[in-house]
């Protein structure tokens, strides 16, 4: 069972969260008309064994979107941060 440490609510059971997808995918610009770029971003995914960046939504808590680094094999959690803070900091 996964336990995620929400930066706002503290450590909670994963049942409070909803998986939101691969956080390593860079989506094309909204006005990009290249079908292949959208196809790759929306439908093509790696299936990593090991560390992976994911979005999780704290649906039954603060409703914050989180960026979680998790090992897909052991379920070890390496980091949890508010996605908007991580992504604002990266720009
Ligand atoms: Zn929370």
């Amino acid at each position: 069972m996964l336990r995620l440490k929400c930066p706002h609510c503290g450590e909670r059971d994963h049942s409070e969260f909803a998986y939101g997808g691969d956080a390593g995918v860079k989506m094309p610009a909204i006005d990009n008309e290249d079908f292949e770029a959208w196809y790759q971003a929306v439908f093509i995914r790696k299936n990593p064994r090991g560390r992976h960046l994911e979005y999780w939504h704290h649906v039954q808590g603060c409703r914050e979107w989180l960026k979680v680094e998790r090992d897909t094999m052991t379920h070890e959690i390496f980091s949890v941060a508010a996605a908007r803070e991580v992504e604002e900091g990266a720009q």
Side-chain angles (χ1 to χ4, degrees):
M1 181 174 294
L2 285 177
R3 300 280 295 176
L4 296 175
K5 190 172 183 180
C6 175
H8 305 289
C9 310
E11 188 171 296
R12 301 296 171 93
D13 191 275
H14 83 282
S15 62
E16 289 192 10
F17 300 82
Y19 177 74
D22 186 339
V25 174
K26 184 159 176 55
M27 298 301 278
I30 197 71
D31 59 350
N32 187 336
E33 296 178 2
D34 179 11
F35 174 82
E36 186 62 26
W38 281 103
Y39 174 74
Q40 290 293 326
V42 174
F43 295 109
I44 305 301
R45 291 285 183 272
K46 291 179 181 169
N47 188 16
R49 183 179 186 198
R51 284 188 177 213
H52 189 234
L53 267 177
E54 303 169 332
Y55 286 116
W56 286 80
H57 188 206
H58 199 178
V59 177
Q60 295 179 28
C62 61
R63 304 192 61 80
E64 182 83 58
W65 278 96
L66 306 174
K67 210 167 192 178
V68 176
E69 188 177 14
R70 179 178 69 91
D71 190 307
T72 58
M73 194 168 65
T74 65
H75 296 302
E76 182 179 355
I77 305 292
F78 299 102
S79 66
V80 180
R84 62 186 163 85
E85 292 170 10
V86 174
E87 290 166 6
E88 284 169 7
Q91 293 173 9

